[in-house]
């Protein structure tokens, strides 16, 4: 028996999507196809636009291919299904599409007028499924349409009494409010979450190549991936916009939650469906990059903030858990952009700035100084930001080695605030020095010198001048001006005997570097050891790690590889002990140690140590690790006779050496190019490279060009000439 005319079902509620011919096959799909027969339930839970419907429709097609005798009814839910009777009718109609007999007993009871409880209908449906002796997988889409009430109670009852021949596959925006622990423990239930549904970087690449017919550069793809976090709906919005624009790069750079199409989608599908109270709460915390209940209470004034956060999480409103104890959350970046725009629209810009200010104060009191600074900058409260940075800059730069954070802050802080906070400018110049921005660093030091006459406190002026001169030592050291650096460090120690602690230790580090690079290993070791003791005593752990690196460099340069490796192991133990985050310094040292493994013939180990170091070498590294970064892989390519890859790596090294202005780096790359020609049997080309640079001819030396550089040039000239003579058999 079927529905009476007045109850004729809307067939679209029983149809799966029909747009699957051009969709991407997802990574977990085939694994789930094999698991489904052993499950009682699979839930697919994610916010709007993450492809839930497409995913379960693809799963259905693959299941039907893998199991031809399987029946797979489909049911699309909507708000009307909160009427339990209405829901039951459509549930029966979905099964009747597979076999007319299914659900007939339920409908007979319904239409006879003898119904005592809706559970009778479900018991009858289960009996029909048992009698059919067939296997079913029921796909239910938009399950979030059901609110608390009898409809949800009936689903829970069905799940508790589900027959062996039936599996439920449910797609929902909200987390299912069912007691599923027993099913999980029995491995009869699985959940596909946002993490599994979001596109990986490779899938984003495939999306644009295969489905949008666009070959995008890696740099742009990485920006897209970072902005969208694999959110499929956002990728589709971006792709549609790109079809209408020729300015692809600018479009990607500016893409955010304020994109018109994305805002309309989020407003209509998500925001307008929420209660006024929940919307206001979300707007009040929209400025936060990470959210906890006490912080949300401070910004919203709501004492039930934890309940609100749990509701947002339960409803899957683009909310991401940051720990396993539900203490910290964050919004998806694009959704956060959208919420901030809505805050301005409904509350005004003054409200948004107030929220930034409250956030900054809360994080400062909680001991999270960096976040306190970032919120002050975001809210354009520059005076507060400058005061916080001034107090914290020394720790960020000298104790943490976090130069990128300092440079990021300086991009946002107006120049005038640097004039009134000279300590910030001093730390800024130091960060510029250690990120190879030498000319800009010198400019900042000159600006700082003009502030000295304006300082009322002699003690403060003395401290600033000592910092300026200390920074100038490192500028010389990192540009291979060893004699100048040695003279400056000697003068500094004589001029400022009253200054101890971190500045003195840094000066000793700089002088030790000059000894190291000029092969005075005993003197270098003495200075590094003295600096190490001062730094550890003052808990300046990042610069302490640098002193350890210097001592590793001494053993490495001296050919004492076993001692270098032993000290490297100690260095790793110390960074683990005193540091709560990974430093670029660890990557830099990996590169240096890779040369030791190369020399010992452990080529695979040498190559593995070089991985993921590119960013750190180009950001923070000094001369020798830069050389090793290119020297080791090029020589490995030589051994493999892969001269194409060797040349690619060598050309990148040559370019980077020119940009840095390191003489020894440049000479090493020239020697490597000569070696490349020799390896290929191109002796004439090797001679041409040697003659082109005229290493053995006198030059017009300026006062700035030191005799150490002349020695370096002569050494490399003789090395190059000897290699050519050997290749010629002389």
């Amino acid at each position: 028996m079927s529905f009476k005319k007045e109850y004729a079902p809307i067939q679209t509620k029983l149809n799966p999507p029909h747009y699957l011919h051009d969709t991407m096959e997802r990574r977990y799909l085939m694994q789930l196809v094999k698991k489904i027969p052993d499950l009682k339930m699979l839930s697919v839970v994610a916010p709007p636009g993450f492809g839930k419907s497409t995913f379960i429709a693809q799963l259905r097609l693959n299941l039907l291919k893998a199991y031809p005798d399987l029946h797979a009814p489909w049911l699309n839910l909507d708000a009307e299904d909160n009427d339990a009777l209405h829901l039951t009718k459509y549930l029966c109609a979905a099964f009747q599409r597979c076999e007319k007999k299914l659900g007939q007993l339920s409908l007979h009871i319904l239409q006879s007028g003898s119904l005592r409880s809706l559970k009778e209908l479900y018991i009858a449906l289960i009996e029909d499924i048992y009698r059919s002796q067939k296997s079913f997988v029921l796909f239910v889409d938009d399950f979030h349409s059901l609110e608390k009430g009898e409809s949800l109670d009936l689903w829970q009852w069905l799940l508790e009494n589900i027959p062996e021949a039936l599996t439920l596959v449910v797609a929902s925006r909200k987390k299912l409010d069912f007691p599923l622990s027993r099913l999980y423990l029995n491995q009869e239930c699985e959940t596909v979450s946002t993490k599994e549904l979001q596109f990986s970087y490779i899938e984003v690449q495939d999306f644009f190549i295969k489905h949008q017919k666009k070959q995008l550069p890696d740099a742009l793809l990485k920006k897209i991936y970072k902005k969208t976090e694999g959110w499929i709906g956002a990728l589709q919005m971006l792709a549609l916009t790109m079809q209408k624009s020729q300015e692809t790069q600018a479009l990607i750079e500016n893409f955010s939650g304020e994109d018109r199409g994305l805002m309309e989608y989020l407003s209509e599908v998500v925001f307008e469906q929420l209660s006024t109270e929940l919307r206001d709460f979300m707007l009040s915390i929209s400025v936060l990059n990470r959210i906890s209940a006490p912080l949300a209470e401070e910004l919203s004034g709501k004492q039930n903030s934890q309940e609100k956060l749990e509701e947002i999480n339960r409803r899957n409103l683009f909310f991401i858990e940051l720990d396993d104890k539900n203490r910290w959350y964050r919004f998806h970046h694009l959704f956060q952009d959208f919420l901030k725009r809505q805050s301005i629209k409904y509350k005004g810009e003054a409200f948004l700035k107030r929220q930034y200010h409250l956030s900054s104060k809360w994080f400062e009191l909680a001991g999270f100084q960096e976040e306190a600074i970032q919120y002050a900058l975001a809210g354009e409260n520059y005076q507060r930001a400058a005061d916080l940075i001034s107090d914290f800059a020394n720790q960020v730069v000298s104790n943490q080695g976090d130069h990128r954070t300092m440079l990021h802050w300086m991009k946002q802080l107006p120049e005038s605030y640097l004039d009134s906070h000279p300590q910030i400018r001093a730390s800024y110049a130091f960060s510029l020095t250690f990120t190879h921005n030498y000319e800009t660093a010198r400019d900042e030091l000159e600006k700082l010198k003009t502030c000295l006459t304006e300082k009322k406190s002699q003690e403060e002026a003395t401290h600033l001048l000592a910092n300026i001169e200390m920074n100038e030592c490192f500028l010389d050291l990192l540009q291979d001006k060893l004699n100048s650096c040695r003279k400056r460090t000697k003068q500094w120690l004589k001029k400022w005997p009253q200054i101890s602690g971190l500045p003195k230790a840094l000066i000793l580090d700089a002088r030790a570097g000059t000894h190291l690079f000029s092969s005075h290993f005993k003197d270098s070791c003495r200075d590094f050891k003295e600096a190490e003791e001062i730094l550890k005593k003052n808990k300046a752990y990042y610069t302490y790690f640098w002193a350890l690196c210097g001592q590793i460099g001494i053993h490495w340069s001296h050919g004492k590889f076993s001692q270098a490796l032993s000290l490297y192991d100690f260095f790793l133990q110390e960074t683990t002990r005193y540091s709560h985050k990974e430093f670029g310094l660890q990557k830099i040292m990996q590169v240096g140690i890779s040369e030791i493994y190369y020399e010992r013939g452990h080529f695979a180990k040498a190559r593995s140590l070089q991985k993921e170091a590119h960013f750190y070498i180009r950001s923070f590294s000094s001369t020798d690790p830069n050389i090793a970064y290119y020297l080791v892989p090029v020589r490995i390519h030589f051994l493999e006779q892969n001269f194409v890859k060797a040349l690619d790596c060598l050309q990148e090294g040559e370019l980077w050496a020119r940009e840095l202005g390191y003489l020894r780096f440049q000479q090493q790359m020239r020697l490597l190019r000569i070696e490349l020609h020799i390896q290929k049997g191109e002796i004439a080309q090797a001679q041409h490279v040697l003659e082109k640079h005229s290493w053995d001819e006198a030059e017009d030396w300026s006062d700035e060009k030191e005799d150490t550089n002349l020695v370096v040039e002569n050494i490399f000239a003789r090395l190059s000439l000897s290699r050519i003579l050997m290749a010629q058999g002389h």
Side-chain angles (χ1 to χ4, degrees):
M1 184 179 292
S2 58
F3 285 125
K4 291 181 180 180
K5 188 173 182 180
E6 62 268 31
Y7 294 131
I10 301 171
Q11 294 301 310
T12 53
K13 282 178 64 70
L14 310 176
N15 293 334
H18 293 293
Y19 49 79
L20 300 181
H21 64 282
D22 196 34
T23 54
M24 291 180 61
E25 191 78 5
R26 301 312 310 280
R27 46 189 168 170
Y28 292 106
L29 213 59
M30 295 314 296
Q31 297 176 27
L32 290 174
V33 167
K34 295 175 183 177
K35 289 182 178 181
I36 286 290
D38 298 321
L39 297 179
K40 287 188 176 180
M41 183 174 188
L42 173 72
S43 60
V44 181
V45 182
F50 273 90
K52 299 181 295 296
S53 300
T54 303
F55 184 85
I56 64 172
Q58 287 177 330
L59 179 61
R60 180 176 180 272
L61 284 180
N62 280 276
L63 276 170
L64 292 173
K65 290 176 185 177
Y67 308 103
D69 296 331
L70 182 74
H71 291 284
W74 183 282
L75 177 58
N76 294 306
L77 298 183
D78 55 38
E80 290 188 3
D81 292 308
N82 283 291
D83 180 336
L85 193 60
H86 184 274
L87 170 64
T88 305
K89 293 173 183 177
Y90 271 99
L91 183 61
C92 292
F95 277 99
Q96 284 195 323
R97 275 202 158 190
C98 302
E99 191 174 320
K100 285 290 183 182
K101 294 180 181 179
L102 294 174
Q104 281 193 349
L105 178 58
S106 300
L107 293 174
H108 175 73
I109 295 171
L110 180 62
Q111 294 175 358
S112 68
S114 60
L115 180 66
R116 289 168 295 180
S117 166
L118 283 174
K119 286 183 182 178
E120 288 183 59
L121 305 181
Y122 284 73
I123 292 170
L125 179 59
I126 289 172
E127 289 177 356
D128 283 348
I129 291 172
Y130 269 123
R131 281 195 293 268
S132 72
Q133 296 184 338
K134 294 176 182 176
S135 296
F136 298 86
V137 178
L138 173 62
F139 289 83
V140 184
D141 199 9
D142 291 333
F143 198 85
H144 53 269
S145 301
L146 302 184
E147 303 294 338
K148 292 181 179 179
E150 194 174 15
S151 289
L152 276 177
D153 293 340
L154 288 170
W155 277 108
Q156 183 171 329
W157 183 88
L158 177 61
L159 189 59
E160 290 170 353
N161 298 276
I162 193 168
E164 288 294 328
L166 177 62
T167 299
L168 292 179
V169 176
V170 173
S172 174
R173 293 180 190 173
K174 296 187 292 187
K175 295 182 179 179
L176 304 184
D177 195 19
F178 293 152
L180 301 173
S181 300
R182 180 176 57 83
L183 293 180
Y184 278 113
L185 286 173
N186 294 334
Q187 297 184 331
E188 295 175 324
C189 182
E190 280 207 17
T191 298
V192 177
S193 66
T194 306
K195 185 177 179 181
E196 287 78 37
L197 288 176
Q198 62 192 20
F199 276 6
S200 66
Y201 175 77
I202 297 299
E203 287 174 319
V204 171
Q205 190 177 48
D206 290 345
F207 172 78
F208 282 99
I209 293 174
K210 296 178 182 178
H211 298 275
Q212 300 300 319
K213 312 303 180 190
K214 285 185 178 291
Q215 180 75 54
L216 297 176
D218 283 345
L220 289 183
L221 280 171
K222 286 176 182 175
K223 285 183 180 178
I224 291 172
Y225 182 62
K226 184 177 180 180
K227 283 173 178 281
T228 63
E229 299 185 68
W231 178 19
I232 302 166
L235 286 166
Q236 290 171 332
M237 291 285 183
L238 178 59
L240 286 171
T241 311
M242 286 168 63
Q243 290 174 4
K244 303 172 185 176
S245 173
Q246 300 298 318
E247 300 295 328
T248 301
Q249 181 163 347
L251 186 66
I252 293 169
E253 293 280 358
N254 296 322
F255 185 71
S256 70
E258 298 181 21
D259 175 81
R260 181 177 177 181
L262 198 57
M263 285 190 70
E264 289 176 354
Y265 172 77
L266 290 172
S267 182
E268 179 181 345
V269 176
V270 181
F271 197 65
E272 292 177 5
Q273 309 302 317
L274 305 176
S275 67
T276 303
E277 183 182 5
L278 188 58
R279 281 201 302 246
D280 284 345
F281 178 77
M282 291 171 71
L283 294 181
S284 71
I285 60 173
S286 62
V287 301
L288 297 172
N289 297 322
R290 63 180 183 130
I291 308 160
S292 68
L295 177 54
E297 183 176 329
E298 179 68 23
L299 268 65
S300 68
K302 302 287 185 183
Q303 293 185 348
N304 62 341
S305 290
Q306 183 63 45
E307 294 175 17
K308 292 295 181 187
L309 294 176
E310 289 174 2
E311 181 182 356
I312 294 170
N313 191 34
R314 187 172 60 253
R315 294 174 70 117
N316 240 336
L317 295 171
F318 298 92
F319 217 42
I320 298 166
E321 297 176 6
L322 298 180
D323 58 24
D324 56 2
K325 296 180 180 179
N326 292 346
R327 292 178 181 171
W328 288 97
Y329 307 86
R330 74 169 174 86
F331 286 112
H332 186 288
H333 297 318
L334 293 176
F335 190 62
Q336 185 185 11
D337 289 343
F338 165 79
L339 287 176
K340 284 193 283 189
R341 175 55 59 184
Q342 298 304 302
S343 294
I344 294 173
K345 178 180 177 181
Y346 291 106
K347 305 282 189 179
E349 290 192 12
F351 170 80
L352 205 65
K353 287 186 177 182
R354 173 182 174 274
Q355 301 305 94
Y356 277 122
H357 179 69
L358 291 174
S359 303
S360 179
K361 287 180 64 177
W362 190 93
F363 276 105
E364 181 191 10
L365 292 172
F368 300 107
Q369 296 296 106
E370 292 180 50
E371 285 169 285
I373 292 167
Q374 194 53 59
Y375 285 112
L377 288 169
E380 298 180 355
N381 191 344
Y382 298 125
Q383 185 59 57
R384 174 176 174 77
D387 292 341
L388 289 169
I389 294 171
S390 185
D391 293 338
F392 193 55
N394 192 55
Q395 182 179 339
V396 171
V397 174
S398 300
N399 292 12
Q400 297 180 10
D402 198 352
H403 302 294
R404 291 286 161 181
T405 294
M406 176 57 69
L407 298 183
H408 178 65
W409 290 340
M410 292 307 100
K411 287 180 181 178
Q412 301 170 76
L413 192 67
E415 174 80 11
S416 58
Y417 289 89
L418 271 68
D419 294 334
S420 57
H421 291 78
Q423 181 54 49
I424 297 179
R425 197 182 291 279
S427 297
Y428 179 37
F430 199 67
S431 289
L432 289 167
T433 300
F434 277 86
T435 51
H436 312 308
N437 297 289
Y438 305 126
E439 293 306 315
T440 311
R442 291 188 191 279
D443 290 343
E444 291 299 321
L445 291 177
E446 289 303 315
K447 292 176 184 176
L448 193 55
K449 287 176 183 178
T450 63
C451 298
L452 293 176
T453 55
E454 302 170 10
K455 303 314 299 176
K456 295 180 181 179
S457 166
Q458 183 60 39
E459 182 181 352
E460 187 176 1
T462 298
H463 182 77
L464 282 173
L465 184 56
N467 268 288
I468 292 169
E469 293 178 358
M470 177 267 291
N471 201 334
E472 289 172 335
C473 291
F474 278 101
L475 282 167
D476 282 348
L477 174 67
L478 295 177
Q479 292 181 287
D480 272 345
K481 298 177 180 178
L482 304 184
N483 282 347
S484 176
C485 181
R486 192 178 293 114
K487 290 174 184 176
R488 284 183 187 274
T489 54
K490 183 179 179 180
Q491 290 169 358
W492 194 98
L493 290 167
K494 185 177 180 180
K495 184 177 181 180
W496 309 109
Q498 75 276 29
I499 295 180
S500 58
L502 181 62
K504 181 179 179 180
L506 288 171
I507 284 294
L508 290 169
D509 271 345
R511 188 170 71 175
T514 68
H515 293 317
L516 173 59
F517 294 146
S518 54
S519 300
H520 295 99
F521 299 127
K522 186 177 180 180
D523 293 336
S524 181
C525 191
R526 179 201 63 217
D527 283 343
F528 276 132
K529 277 286 186 185
E530 187 178 350
E532 176 190 327
E533 292 173 7
I534 296 171
L535 294 165
K536 198 167 183 180
K537 182 179 178 181
N538 286 271
K539 297 182 179 180
Y541 293 119
Y542 182 77
T543 34
Y544 160 62
F545 300 150
W546 262 116
L548 288 178
C549 289
Q551 294 173 69
I552 294 170
I554 292 170
H555 295 312
W556 170 26
S557 303
H558 214 176
K560 297 180 178 180
F561 295 154
S562 295
Q563 292 94 320
L565 289 173
S566 177
L567 190 53
Y568 174 65
D569 288 338
F570 177 71
F571 161 80
L572 293 177
Q573 292 170 18
E574 291 292 272
T575 55
T576 303
R577 181 180 178 185
Y578 293 115
S579 160
H580 299 294
K581 62 179 180 178
E582 184 181 77
F583 285 117
L585 195 50
Q586 292 166 318
K587 300 291 185 184
I588 292 169
M589 284 311 301
Q590 284 181 10
V591 172
I593 295 300
S594 72
E595 185 164 1
I596 295 176
Y597 281 103
Y598 172 84
E599 295 292 346
R600 292 188 162 190
H602 302 311
F603 304 127
K605 179 69 172 178
R607 199 194 297 267
S608 68
L609 285 171
Q610 291 248 339
K611 286 183 179 178
E612 300 178 6
H614 190 267
F615 167 79
Y616 299 99
I617 287 293
R618 293 185 72 88
S619 297
F620 309 115
S621 179
S622 55
T623 311
D624 285 359
N626 271 289
I627 293 173
Y629 182 77
Y630 293 99
L631 185 61
V632 171
V634 169
R635 288 188 296 182
I636 291 175
H637 292 320
F638 285 167
L639 293 170
E640 297 169 341
Q641 296 289 289
N642 192 337
F643 299 124
V644 173
K645 283 190 176 180
L647 180 60
D648 288 344
C649 188
L650 174 59
Q651 287 175 334
E652 182 183 322
E654 289 172 333
L655 177 62
W656 183 225
R658 286 196 298 272
E659 288 181 19
L660 290 181
Y662 285 154
L663 181 63
R664 268 182 304 124
F665 193 178
Q666 292 168 346
Q667 307 291 34
Q668 182 66 69
M669 293 300 103
R670 287 171 190 163
L671 180 59
L672 212 53
R673 180 168 283 274
I674 288 171
E675 183 65 31
L676 175 60
H677 288 307
I678 292 172
Q679 290 280 338
K680 295 170 70 177
E682 300 169 350
I683 308 303
Q685 289 92 323
Q687 284 181 309
H688 177 70
V689 174
L690 180 61
E691 293 164 0
K692 180 181 177 182
H693 294 287
S694 304
W695 274 318
D696 57 347
E697 295 179 8
E699 292 193 23
D700 182 20
W701 301 97
S702 66
D703 291 338
E704 291 186 2
K705 197 158 189 178
E706 303 184 26
D707 56 354
T708 50
N709 290 338
L710 178 59
V711 171
V712 168
E713 291 212 359
N714 284 329
I715 289 171
F716 278 103
R718 293 175 189 279
L719 283 169
S720 302
L721 183 57
S722 67
R723 288 294 294 120
I724 293 171
L725 290 171
M726 287 171 64
Q728 291 173 329
H730 300 305

